[in-house]
Amino acid sequence: QVRLTESGGGLVQAGGSLSLSCVANVRTFGQFAMGWFRQAPGKEREFVASISTSGGIINYADAVKGRFSISRDDTKFTVALQMNNLKPEDTAVYYCGVGKYATYDTTGTQYTSWGQGTQVTVSS
């Protein structure tokens, strides 16, 4: 069982930036695709971004394209999400997930482990 721990959330004004990090507890981290999802109050979980095992395939939700950037460091077993030009509608709990076959999955069903989530709040 892969265990994931997110960090980096917080409160920021609109237009500001935050960087989220997710650390895995397995040395086979490089064998897994990674992704970020978010869930706002009263809404369903939604896809944010994903990155393949090699880092060569990256996908973003339309709502965050051009503002968010996902990256991974397999030597540190981490995946990061750099969020720029944040908007109030980005307010949500952000979760990272891992799955061997999740590169193109935007529903979350191919992800086999999830972190506990980190709160991101963007004030207007």
Side-chain angles (χ1 to χ4, degrees), residues 5-106:
T5 304
E6 302 101 334
S7 62
L11 173 64
V12 65
Q13 288 187 332
S17 298
L18 280 175
S19 182
L20 305 183
S21 181
C22 174
V23 180
N25 69 333
V26 291
R27 293 187 176 275
T28 54
F29 177 82
Q31 299 179 12
F32 296 91
M34 303 295 298
W36 287 95
F37 284 69
R38 66 188 182 186
Q39 187 166 19
K43 294 186 177 182
E44 294 187 353
R45 179 183 61 189
E46 65 174 359
F47 170 76
V48 175
S50 65
I51 186 167
S52 65
T53 54
S54 64
I57 301 172
I58 291 176
N59 299 296
Y60 295 103
D62 288 343
V64 306
K65 279 181 181 177
R67 300 188 297 121
F68 290 13
S69 177
I70 188 172
S71 61
R72 65 187 295 157
D73 185 340
D74 290 351
T75 65
K76 298 180 179 179
F77 316 131
T78 62
V79 61
L81 185 69
Q82 177 65 39
M83 305 184 295
N84 298 325
N85 190 22
L86 282 160
K87 303 176 180 180
E89 51 264 43
D90 294 318
T91 295
V93 177
Y94 284 70
Y95 299 89
C96 70
V98 62
K100 283 193 173 183
Y101 310 108
T103 297
Y104 297 104
D105 177 29
T106 61

